[in-house]
Amino acid sequence: MTAEQHSDKPKIADRRRVPGTGWAFCKSLSDIRSLVAIFTFLFLLAMPIALLLIGRENFAAMADAFAPQSSSSGMTATPWIGNTIFGKPLPFNAALLPFHLAVTSLAAVGVLIMGSALFRRMYRRDAVDAEWSMPLTKNSWSLGRALALAAGIAIPFASNAGAAAGILAAWGRNFTDLLLAYSQAYLLLFLASLNFAGFTVLLLSLSGRLFDALVILFTLHFAWPVPIYGISLLATENAHHEPIYTWLLAPAADMFRLPFIRQNLPHMIILPVFWFVLAWFSAVRRPAERAGIKTGNLRWFRWIQPVYSMAGGWMLGAFFSTIFRFGVTQPGWAFFLSPSFVLGMLPGAFLGQILSSVITGKRLRRDPHGETGSRTLHPLLAEWLWSLLGMALLYALVLLNNAPPLRR
């Protein structure tokens, strides 16, 4: 009989590495690899393959048609200077604008689809329990998925840029100059896509249902820009026509404006970082019990509802003002203080508030089982009070937009 010696030290085979951010990133990117491949093909179809189908001579004729001065060679030495379309100046040749808008549309759709695919497990209680039972921290989980979404966006952009650059460079020097003029707009579009991705991840982390998150994303991109654009149209001569808050809550809509406006590169870099950090903070603090809860019942949602009240008040107020004044409007405060506008704004703000509550499943009647149900305001009365905040926001933005610039 022989004695056996047992050691307390674990065997090398049992020393398993605890998964971290790198593992979460690789696993998440692997989960959306099919979507990345699909959008990479669509990006290539929208620009490089389309350029090959058009052909060098036809594209040269298109670029020359938008050039300010023609030459005997069929193209100008600087075809990107002086281009305008619909009265708006472009920093690159307008022949590239259809390709740019196609890539912009694909980028916006890609952010929504890939973001939904990566974070849809947060909305199922059983999936959330399985996720948190893994030896993986919330930091690694959220950061790995956010990095996977950024990489999923970067791969189609990089593939498209490489293929398009190779084609235009092979076509000749003038096409290379055209490509260099377009490169800055393409870089800004990529940064704007990351900005929209961070904003999307934030709303996905805050919402209780995927349906509510997507609805809020779509409606915010309508409810925020419409009154802001209307306010800017009625601004006075000394007004700020492009305040910094203008497109903050509509990053996808802002992507389509990039060719027509001047953008500050540091500003475009800071915005994605801001949204991704805020999204990381929200994902880490997200309770597991939130999965499946209607977003309208969450506390944070009521603080963005004034945006919908503002949009509803603006649209119905502008409609009433047009009807009663027969289309004759005055710029500045005269329009917003007119009785017809105020008469339409009051019910419009309330309707915008109610509609946003109904879509997201917010409770609009008293809870008979609530402890303080009989002592609180009726939900409809509370909705009307919150709609007043939307009207106050509208007039605050009118005041900011019509304020004269500061003089030194």
Side-chain angles (χ1 to χ4, degrees), residues 6-51:
H6 298 277
S7 176
D8 294 335
K9 295 182 180 181
K11 297 180 180 179
I12 297 178
D14 294 334
R15 295 178 183 177
R16 299 178 180 177
R17 185 177 180 181
V18 178
T21 303
W23 180 88
F25 167 75
C26 295
K27 180 66 170 60
S28 301
L29 189 60
S30 176
D31 291 340
I32 61 169
R33 62 183 183 275
S34 299
L35 292 174
V36 173
I38 291 173
F39 279 97
T40 300
F41 170 74
L42 293 176
F43 269 61
L44 295 175
L45 185 64
M47 186 171 284
I49 297 177
L51 287 173

Coordinates of all heavy atoms in Angstrom, one line a residue, residues 6-51:
H6 N -1.2 14.8 -1.5 CA -2.1 15.7 -2.2 C -1.6 17.1 -2.0 O -1.2 17.5 -0.8 CB -3.5 15.6 -1.7 CG -4.1 14.2 -1.9 ND1 -4.7 13.9 -3.1 CD2 -4.2 13.1 -1.1 CE1 -5.1 12.7 -3.1 NE2 -4.8 12.1 -1.8
S7 N -1.5 17.9 -3.0 CA -1.1 19.3 -2.9 C -2.3 20.3 -2.9 O -3.3 20.0 -3.6 CB -0.1 19.7 -4.1 OG 0.2 21.0 -4.0
D8 N -2.2 21.3 -2.2 CA -3.3 22.3 -2.2 C -3.2 23.3 -3.4 O -4.1 24.0 -3.6 CB -3.2 23.2 -0.9 CG -3.5 22.3 0.4 OD1 -4.2 21.3 0.2 OD2 -3.0 22.7 1.5
K9 N -2.1 23.2 -4.1 CA -2.0 24.1 -5.2 C -2.8 23.6 -6.4 O -2.8 22.4 -6.7 CB -0.5 24.2 -5.7 CG 0.4 24.8 -4.6 CD 1.9 24.9 -5.2 CE 2.8 25.5 -4.1 NZ 4.2 25.6 -4.6
P10 N -3.6 24.5 -7.1 CA -4.4 24.0 -8.2 C -3.6 23.6 -9.4 O -2.4 24.1 -9.5 CB -5.3 25.2 -8.5 CG -4.5 26.4 -8.0 CD -3.7 25.9 -6.8
K11 N -4.1 22.7 -10.1 CA -3.4 22.3 -11.3 C -3.4 23.4 -12.3 O -4.2 24.3 -12.3 CB -4.0 21.0 -11.9 CG -4.0 19.8 -11.0 CD -4.6 18.6 -11.6 CE -4.6 17.4 -10.7 NZ -5.2 16.2 -11.3
I12 N -2.4 23.4 -13.2 CA -2.3 24.4 -14.3 C -3.5 24.4 -15.2 O -4.0 25.4 -15.6 CB -1.0 24.2 -15.1 CG1 0.2 24.4 -14.2 CG2 -0.9 25.2 -16.2 CD1 1.5 24.1 -14.9
A13 N -4.1 23.2 -15.4 CA -5.2 23.2 -16.3 C -6.5 23.8 -15.7 O -7.4 24.2 -16.4 CB -5.5 21.7 -16.7
D14 N -6.5 23.9 -14.4 CA -7.7 24.5 -13.7 C -7.6 26.0 -13.6 O -8.6 26.6 -13.1 CB -7.9 23.8 -12.3 CG -8.2 22.3 -12.4 OD1 -8.7 22.0 -13.5 OD2 -7.9 21.6 -11.5
R15 N -6.5 26.5 -13.9 CA -6.3 28.0 -13.8 C -7.0 28.7 -15.0 O -6.3 28.9 -16.0 CB -4.8 28.4 -13.7 CG -4.2 27.8 -12.4 CD -2.7 28.2 -12.5 NE -2.0 27.7 -11.3 CZ -0.7 27.8 -11.1 NH1 0.1 28.5 -12.0 NH2 -0.1 27.3 -10.0
R16 N -8.2 28.9 -14.9 CA -9.0 29.5 -15.9 C -8.9 31.0 -15.9 O -9.1 31.6 -14.8 CB -10.4 29.0 -15.9 CG -10.5 27.5 -16.1 CD -12.0 27.0 -16.0 NE -12.1 25.6 -16.1 CZ -13.2 24.9 -16.0 NH1 -14.4 25.6 -15.8 NH2 -13.2 23.6 -16.2
R17 N -8.8 31.6 -17.0 CA -8.7 33.0 -17.1 C -10.1 33.6 -17.0 O -11.0 33.2 -17.7 CB -8.0 33.5 -18.4 CG -7.8 34.9 -18.5 CD -7.1 35.2 -19.8 NE -6.8 36.7 -19.9 CZ -6.2 37.2 -21.0 NH1 -5.8 36.4 -22.0 NH2 -6.1 38.5 -21.0
V18 N -10.3 34.6 -16.1 CA -11.6 35.3 -15.9 C -11.8 36.2 -17.1 O -10.9 37.0 -17.5 CB -11.6 36.1 -14.6 CG1 -12.9 36.8 -14.5 CG2 -11.3 35.2 -13.4
P19 N -13.0 36.0 -17.8 CA -13.2 36.9 -19.0 C -13.3 38.3 -18.6 O -13.8 38.7 -17.5 CB -14.5 36.3 -19.5 CG -15.2 35.7 -18.3 CD -14.1 35.1 -17.5
G20 N -12.8 39.2 -19.5 CA -12.9 40.6 -19.2 C -13.4 41.4 -20.4 O -14.2 40.9 -21.2
T21 N -12.9 42.7 -20.5 CA -13.4 43.5 -21.6 C -13.1 43.0 -23.0 O -13.9 43.0 -23.9 CB -12.9 44.9 -21.4 OG1 -13.2 45.4 -20.1 CG2 -13.4 45.9 -22.5
G22 N -11.8 42.5 -23.1 CA -11.4 41.9 -24.4 C -12.3 40.7 -24.8 O -12.6 40.6 -26.0
W23 N -12.6 39.9 -23.9 CA -13.4 38.7 -24.2 C -14.8 39.2 -24.6 O -15.4 38.7 -25.6 CB -13.5 37.8 -23.0 CG -14.4 36.6 -23.2 CD1 -14.0 35.4 -23.8 CD2 -15.8 36.5 -23.0 NE1 -15.0 34.5 -23.9 CE2 -16.2 35.2 -23.4 CE3 -16.7 37.3 -22.4 CZ2 -17.5 34.7 -23.2 CZ3 -18.0 36.9 -22.3 CH2 -18.4 35.6 -22.7
A24 N -15.4 40.2 -23.8 CA -16.7 40.7 -24.2 C -16.7 41.3 -25.5 O -17.7 41.2 -26.3 CB -17.2 41.6 -23.1
F25 N -15.6 42.1 -25.9 CA -15.6 42.7 -27.2 C -15.5 41.7 -28.3 O -16.3 41.8 -29.3 CB -14.3 43.6 -27.2 CG -14.0 44.1 -28.6 CD1 -14.7 45.1 -29.2 CD2 -12.9 43.5 -29.3 CE1 -14.3 45.5 -30.5 CE2 -12.5 43.9 -30.5 CZ -13.3 44.9 -31.1
C26 N -14.7 40.7 -28.2 CA -14.6 39.7 -29.2 C -15.9 38.9 -29.4 O -16.3 38.6 -30.5 CB -13.4 38.7 -28.9 SG -11.8 39.5 -29.0
K27 N -16.5 38.5 -28.2 CA -17.8 37.8 -28.3 C -18.9 38.6 -28.9 O -19.7 38.1 -29.7 CB -18.2 37.4 -26.8 CG -19.5 36.6 -26.8 CD -19.3 35.2 -27.4 CE -20.6 34.4 -27.1 NZ -21.8 35.0 -27.6
S28 N -18.9 39.9 -28.5 CA -20.0 40.8 -29.1 C -19.8 41.0 -30.6 O -20.7 41.0 -31.4 CB -20.0 42.1 -28.3 OG -20.3 41.9 -27.0
L29 N -18.5 41.2 -31.0 CA -18.2 41.5 -32.4 C -18.5 40.2 -33.2 O -19.0 40.3 -34.3 CB -16.8 41.9 -32.6 CG -16.4 42.4 -33.9 CD1 -17.2 43.6 -34.4 CD2 -14.9 42.7 -34.0
S30 N -18.3 39.0 -32.6 CA -18.6 37.8 -33.3 C -20.1 37.6 -33.4 O -20.6 37.1 -34.4 CB -18.0 36.6 -32.5 OG -18.4 35.4 -33.1
D31 N -20.9 38.1 -32.5 CA -22.3 38.0 -32.6 C -22.9 38.8 -33.7 O -24.0 38.4 -34.2 CB -23.0 38.4 -31.2 CG -22.7 37.5 -30.1 OD1 -22.3 36.3 -30.4 OD2 -22.8 37.9 -28.9
I32 N -22.3 39.9 -34.1 CA -22.8 40.8 -35.1 C -22.0 40.7 -36.4 O -22.1 41.6 -37.3 CB -22.9 42.2 -34.7 CG1 -21.5 42.8 -34.3 CG2 -23.9 42.4 -33.5 CD1 -21.5 44.3 -34.1
R33 N -21.2 39.6 -36.5 CA -20.3 39.6 -37.7 C -21.1 39.5 -39.0 O -20.6 40.0 -40.0 CB -19.3 38.4 -37.6 CG -20.0 37.0 -37.5 CD -19.0 35.9 -37.3 NE -19.6 34.6 -37.3 CZ -20.1 34.0 -36.3 NH1 -20.1 34.6 -35.1 NH2 -20.6 32.8 -36.3
S34 N -22.2 38.8 -39.0 CA -23.0 38.7 -40.2 C -23.6 40.1 -40.6 O -23.6 40.5 -41.7 CB -24.2 37.8 -40.0 OG -23.7 36.5 -39.7
L35 N -24.0 40.9 -39.6 CA -24.5 42.2 -39.8 C -23.4 43.1 -40.4 O -23.6 44.0 -41.3 CB -25.1 42.8 -38.6 CG -26.4 42.2 -38.1 CD1 -26.8 42.8 -36.7 CD2 -27.5 42.4 -39.1
V36 N -22.2 43.0 -39.8 CA -21.1 43.8 -40.3 C -20.7 43.4 -41.7 O -20.5 44.3 -42.5 CB -19.8 43.5 -39.3 CG1 -18.6 44.2 -39.9 CG2 -20.1 44.1 -37.9
A37 N -20.8 42.2 -42.0 CA -20.5 41.7 -43.4 C -21.6 42.3 -44.4 O -21.2 42.7 -45.5 CB -20.5 40.2 -43.5
I38 N -22.8 42.3 -44.0 CA -23.9 42.8 -44.8 C -23.7 44.3 -45.1 O -23.8 44.7 -46.2 CB -25.3 42.5 -44.2 CG1 -25.6 41.0 -44.2 CG2 -26.4 43.3 -44.9 CD1 -26.8 40.6 -43.5
F39 N -23.5 45.0 -44.0 CA -23.3 46.5 -44.2 C -22.0 46.9 -44.9 O -22.0 47.9 -45.6 CB -23.5 47.2 -42.8 CG -24.9 47.4 -42.4 CD1 -25.5 46.5 -41.5 CD2 -25.6 48.4 -42.9 CE1 -26.8 46.7 -41.1 CE2 -27.0 48.6 -42.5 CZ -27.5 47.7 -41.6
T40 N -21.0 46.0 -44.7 CA -19.8 46.3 -45.5 C -20.1 46.1 -47.0 O -19.6 47.0 -47.8 CB -18.7 45.3 -45.1 OG1 -18.4 45.5 -43.7 CG2 -17.4 45.5 -45.9
F41 N -20.8 45.1 -47.4 CA -21.2 44.9 -48.8 C -22.1 46.1 -49.3 O -21.9 46.6 -50.4 CB -21.9 43.6 -49.0 CG -22.6 43.4 -50.3 CD1 -21.8 43.2 -51.4 CD2 -23.9 43.6 -50.5 CE1 -22.3 43.1 -52.7 CE2 -24.5 43.4 -51.7 CZ -23.7 43.2 -52.8
L42 N -23.0 46.5 -48.4 CA -23.9 47.6 -48.8 C -23.1 48.9 -49.0 O -23.4 49.7 -49.9 CB -25.0 47.8 -47.8 CG -26.0 46.7 -47.7 CD1 -27.0 46.9 -46.6 CD2 -26.8 46.5 -49.1
F43 N -22.1 49.2 -48.1 CA -21.3 50.3 -48.3 C -20.5 50.3 -49.6 O -20.4 51.3 -50.3 CB -20.3 50.4 -47.1 CG -20.8 51.2 -45.9 CD1 -22.0 50.8 -45.2 CD2 -20.2 52.3 -45.5 CE1 -22.5 51.6 -44.2 CE2 -20.6 53.1 -44.4 CZ -21.8 52.7 -43.7
L44 N -19.9 49.1 -49.9 CA -19.2 49.0 -51.1 C -20.1 49.1 -52.3 O -19.7 49.7 -53.4 CB -18.5 47.6 -51.2 CG -17.4 47.3 -50.1 CD1 -16.9 45.9 -50.2 CD2 -16.3 48.3 -50.3
L45 N -21.3 48.7 -52.2 CA -22.3 48.8 -53.3 C -22.7 50.3 -53.5 O -22.9 50.7 -54.6 CB -23.5 47.9 -53.0 CG -24.6 47.9 -54.1 CD1 -24.1 47.2 -55.3 CD2 -25.8 47.1 -53.6
A46 N -22.8 51.0 -52.4 CA -23.2 52.4 -52.5 C -22.2 53.4 -53.1 O -22.5 54.4 -53.6 CB -23.6 52.9 -51.1
M47 N -20.9 53.0 -52.9 CA -19.9 53.9 -53.5 C -18.9 53.3 -54.4 O -18.9 53.6 -55.6 CB -19.1 54.6 -52.3 CG -18.1 55.7 -52.7 SD -17.4 56.7 -51.3 CE -18.8 57.7 -50.9
P48 N -18.0 52.4 -54.0 CA -17.0 51.9 -55.0 C -17.6 51.1 -56.2 O -17.3 51.3 -57.4 CB -16.1 50.9 -54.2 CG -16.4 51.3 -52.8 CD -17.8 51.8 -52.7
I49 N -18.6 50.2 -55.9 CA -19.2 49.4 -57.0 C -20.0 50.4 -57.9 O -20.0 50.2 -59.1 CB -20.0 48.3 -56.4 CG1 -19.2 47.3 -55.6 CG2 -20.8 47.6 -57.5 CD1 -19.9 46.2 -55.0
A50 N -20.7 51.3 -57.3 CA -21.4 52.3 -58.0 C -20.5 53.1 -58.9 O -20.9 53.4 -60.1 CB -22.2 53.2 -57.1
L51 N -19.3 53.5 -58.4 CA -18.4 54.2 -59.3 C -17.9 53.4 -60.5 O -17.8 53.9 -61.6 CB -17.2 54.6 -58.4 CG -17.4 55.8 -57.4 CD1 -16.1 56.0 -56.5 CD2 -17.7 57.1 -58.1

